[in-house]
Amino acid sequence: AVLRQLDPRNLSLLVNGFSKWPDQPGCGDGTFAVAGEVLRRAHTQGFSKFNPQSLTNLVNGFSKWPNQAECREATSAIGTEVTYLAGRANRLSDFVPQDLANLVNGFSKWPEQESTREATIAIGSEISREANRLGRFPEQELATLVNGFSKWPQEPGIRQAAVAIAGDIASGVGKPGGFTHQHLAILVNGFSKWPEELNMRQAAVTVGGEVVARARELGGFTDQHLANLVNGFSKWPEQEKTREAAVAIASEVSCDANRLRGFPGQELAYLINGFSKWPQEPGMRQAAVAIAGEIASRADKIKGFTHQQLAILVNGFSKWPEQEKTREATAAVAREILRRTSHLRGFTDQHVANLVNGFSKWPEQPEVRQAAVGLAEEIVSRAGQLAGFADQHLANLVNGFSKWPEQEKTREATAAVACEILRRTSHLRGFTDQHVANLVNGFSKWPEEPEVRQAAVGLAEEIVSRAGQLAGFADQHLVTLVNGFSKWPDQQKMREATVTIGREVLRRADRPDVGLSDFTAQGLAILVNGFGKWTQEPVCYQALVEIARGLGPK
């Protein structure tokens, strides 16, 4: 009864105040009661008496309780109102920059709601129209907008607005020096949702330069800031400034072992995932070793890590297989996977593929082998349900399992993947050169397995169909394919595929002043062994002659 007597402004002030203490039960109860009143008014009299600031304060406050039904429904109703206002003549011109930013920030807590999505699209359109006036938006509002927009990366209108903001930051309109540490991390994390956009890359480079300039201040960045920055910068590994910024953060991480003890599992996973994009950088390797040491020391606490975090860690550590600490850390993760053997159904397709691919870098490690076998059992249990696995995931599984060809379960799992490959025979065009090479290489470890042989035949047919495109294959891929096909010398399709590759090798042998010098000695030896299985084929025989000529006296 009291709430019904309050005007919209006071209702919004109550929610805004209560939201400062979201962990207090009383504040939550008060907010839920106001949300109920807001919904009642929305259904009976609409929002005509609510001004832009009141609507914004309500959304901003309700967003502190995203799992509460009353808050979600009230925000959804406000989202519908914002979309309605956006369609009027003056559109959203009554909302100041802070209002627009707070609305997007609040709506982003319910990205699955149709009304909050549509309202954010409407605000995105307003931002795009204001693109030449974004200079009036303070740094905090720009960062908040990018963070909110990133929850709907597939929406064209939202992407366009984010691109406009990125363009301003890249051009210096939004001065990076004016952003706080938190703003920089939020911006990079948001931009990384659209890595293919030119403005996003340029803005990330601009922020990267600012992070490098603040290298001595990195101690003031929180764990989450550093992790989000590295994870974001890793989407543009070829950019000099993003690499330099990641190197600076790696130095900060590796120089303070005590600090790593405070990093939560998610932040450690983000850091490793990011650093792994530059495995040749000494600084990244040092930071990875430091993180691996931390993971190994927390072996008894890894049970608190999520499935995703475990998969990311293993995938990252695998970029430095020669390091003792990364091996120890991976063994610790493997023991945790073994502990969860009865709960592997919770691992997604990508998680399983990344774990198997990562574990395969340490095939002799007992715990790692046992964990891989456990994952193979999981794949066998999903046999007939592998349609959701991406091409890359299937290739990684086969390539990984092939490191343990003597294990019964890895053989069965590979046969299950082979059946899925057979199901996709008419769609193999989507497999990259590396995927095809990894599959053939893995399948060749079980040449007597019927399903495996049939799948390999299908891949051989795909190679023949790509005869005019083999110039794009790396030397190593050609070597791997010939080596794999040679395990089935009695198969007609394997012979045809090898002849097709032989023609490409002859073409490369004819290159002036280069010939076959790009091939490694081991690669040439493998080619000789493979082509030698079909010496009756003129092309294979001629390829052997050219290789011999290349190895002879100059």
Side-chain angles (χ1 to χ4, degrees):
V2 173
L3 288 178
R4 292 190 178 192
Q5 298 172 19
L6 294 179
D7 62 27
R9 177 176 179 276
N10 285 323
L11 285 176
S12 69
L13 288 177
L14 279 174
V15 171
N16 190 54
F18 292 149
S19 69
K20 303 299 189 292
W21 298 279
D23 296 329
Q24 295 299 318
C27 291
D29 293 340
T31 300
F32 309 153
V34 175
E37 173 61 18
V38 169
L39 270 175
R40 187 190 70 80
R41 296 191 189 189
H43 294 149
T44 58
Q45 55 192 264
F47 288 100
S48 59
K49 296 182 180 180
F50 287 77
N51 63 29
Q53 187 174 18
S54 295
L55 293 174
T56 301
N57 283 343
L58 287 170
V59 169
N60 189 56
F62 292 150
S63 70
K64 303 303 190 297
W65 290 273
N67 297 319
Q68 192 65 31
E70 295 94 332
C71 292
R72 181 183 69 248
E73 292 169 9
T75 302
S76 183
I78 295 173
T80 300
E81 175 67 11
V82 169
T83 302
Y84 164 73
L85 292 174
R88 299 177 64 184
N90 62 353
R91 297 193 171 102
L92 298 177
S93 57
D94 290 339
F95 288 81
V96 299
Q98 185 178 16
D99 291 339
L100 295 176
N102 285 342
L103 282 172
V104 169
N105 186 58
F107 290 147
S108 71
K109 302 303 189 294
W110 295 277
E112 73 289 346
Q113 293 290 313
E114 183 69 13
S115 60
T116 56
R117 181 184 63 82
E118 290 180 352
T120 305
I121 290 174
I123 295 172
S125 297
E126 182 70 19
I127 295 297
S128 296
R129 280 192 294 271
E130 294 277 322
N132 60 346
R133 298 172 57 195
L134 285 177
R136 69 190 181 94
F137 280 72
E139 285 84 354
Q140 180 173 345
E141 273 64 64
L142 291 176
T144 300
L145 284 168
V146 169
N147 184 59
F149 288 151
S150 70
K151 304 303 189 295
W152 294 275
Q154 304 305 322
E155 284 295 335
I158 290 176
R159 182 182 70 246
Q160 186 177 354
V163 166
I165 295 173
D168 261 22
I169 290 173
S171 64
V173 175
K175 302 292 184 183
F179 287 95
T180 66
H181 299 340
Q182 181 181 19
H183 296 158
L184 295 177
I186 287 174
L187 286 170
V188 171
N189 188 58
F191 293 149
S192 70
K193 303 303 189 293
W194 300 276
E196 73 286 350
E197 290 285 349
L198 176 61
N199 278 11
M200 303 305 189
R201 183 177 74 241
Q202 293 175 339
V205 168
T206 299
V207 176
E210 180 61 26
V211 170
V212 172
R214 299 187 194 186
R216 294 184 179 181
E217 303 173 28
L218 290 178
F221 284 72
T222 68
D223 304 340
Q224 186 177 18
H225 297 161
L226 294 178
N228 283 345
L229 283 168
V230 170
N231 194 53
F233 287 143
S234 70
K235 302 302 189 294
W236 301 276
E238 75 288 347
Q239 296 296 312
E240 185 68 15
K241 283 301 178 185
T242 56
R243 181 187 62 79
E244 289 179 4
V247 167
I249 295 172
S251 178
E252 171 67 22
V253 168
S254 58
C255 288
D256 189 357
N258 290 328
R259 180 170 186 178
L260 276 178
R261 294 184 187 131
F263 274 74
Q266 180 169 321
E267 274 63 58
L268 290 175
Y270 277 178
L271 285 172
I272 280 295
N273 184 60
F275 292 149
S276 69
K277 302 304 188 294
W278 297 276
Q280 304 307 319
E281 279 288 335
M284 306 301 191
R285 183 178 65 249
Q286 292 171 15
V289 168
I291 294 172
E294 178 61 23
I295 292 295
S297 72
R298 290 191 199 181
D300 59 334
K301 300 177 183 177
I302 292 181
K303 62 181 65 175
F305 284 53
T306 66
H307 296 340
Q308 181 182 30
Q309 289 162 10
L310 295 177
I312 289 174
L313 286 170
V314 170
N315 189 57
F317 290 144
S318 70
K319 303 303 189 294
W320 299 276
E322 74 288 348
Q323 296 294 316
E324 182 68 15
K325 286 297 182 184
T326 56
R327 182 187 61 77
E328 292 176 2
T330 302
V333 175
R335 287 192 289 273
E336 176 58 23
I337 295 296
L338 286 169
R339 195 184 69 80
R340 301 186 191 187
T341 301
S342 59
H343 303 287
L344 292 181
R345 180 62 59 176
F347 284 83
T348 67
D349 304 341
Q350 185 175 4
H351 297 160
V352 175
N354 284 349
L355 283 168
V356 171
N357 188 56
F359 286 150
S360 71
K361 304 303 189 296
W362 295 275
E364 304 303 323
Q365 190 71 21
E367 307 98 315
V368 169
R369 182 180 64 251
Q370 292 169 25
V373 169
L375 292 166
E377 291 179 352
E378 176 60 23
I379 290 297
V380 172
S381 74
R382 298 186 193 185
Q385 306 170 25
L386 302 182
F389 279 73
D391 298 342
Q392 181 180 4
H393 299 158
L394 295 178
N396 284 347
L397 285 172
V398 170
N399 190 56
F401 288 143
S402 71
K403 303 303 188 295
W404 301 279
E406 74 290 347
Q407 295 293 320
E408 181 68 13
K409 286 300 178 182
T410 57
R411 180 187 62 78
E412 292 177 7
T414 302
V417 175
C419 289
E420 176 60 25
I421 295 296
L422 285 169
R423 195 185 68 79
R424 301 186 189 187
T425 300
S426 60
H427 304 287
L428 292 179
R429 181 63 55 181
F431 283 78
T432 67
D433 307 342
Q434 184 173 3
H435 296 160
V436 175
N438 283 349
L439 284 167
V440 171
N441 181 60
F443 287 151
S444 70
K445 303 303 190 296
W446 294 276
E448 303 304 323
E449 194 70 23
E451 300 92 343
V452 168
R453 183 178 66 252
Q454 292 171 31
V457 167
L459 293 165
E461 291 177 342
E462 178 62 21
I463 289 298
V464 173
S465 73
R466 297 188 192 186
Q469 304 164 27
L470 294 187
F473 276 66
D475 296 340
Q476 182 59 45
H477 296 158
L478 296 180
V479 170
T480 299
L481 287 168
V482 169
N483 185 58
F485 292 143
S486 70
K487 303 303 190 295
W488 297 277
D490 56 322
Q491 292 290 320
Q492 175 70 8
K493 289 299 178 182
M494 307 307 193
R495 180 183 64 78
E496 293 176 9
T498 304
V499 168
T500 301
I501 296 170
R503 292 194 184 98
E504 175 58 23
V505 170
L506 287 173
R507 189 192 69 79
R508 298 186 187 192
D510 286 338
R511 292 177 298 181
D513 302 323
V514 179
L516 298 177
S517 61
D518 288 345
F519 285 84
T520 65
Q522 183 181 17
L524 291 173
I526 291 173
L527 287 176
V528 167
N529 183 64
F531 289 140
K533 301 292 177 32
W534 292 281
T535 53
Q536 73 277 15
E537 286 292 335
V539 170
C540 292
Y541 181 79
Q542 187 59 39
L544 288 170
V545 170
E546 290 299 326
I547 293 172
R549 181 177 295 134
L551 294 174
K554 302 300 181 186

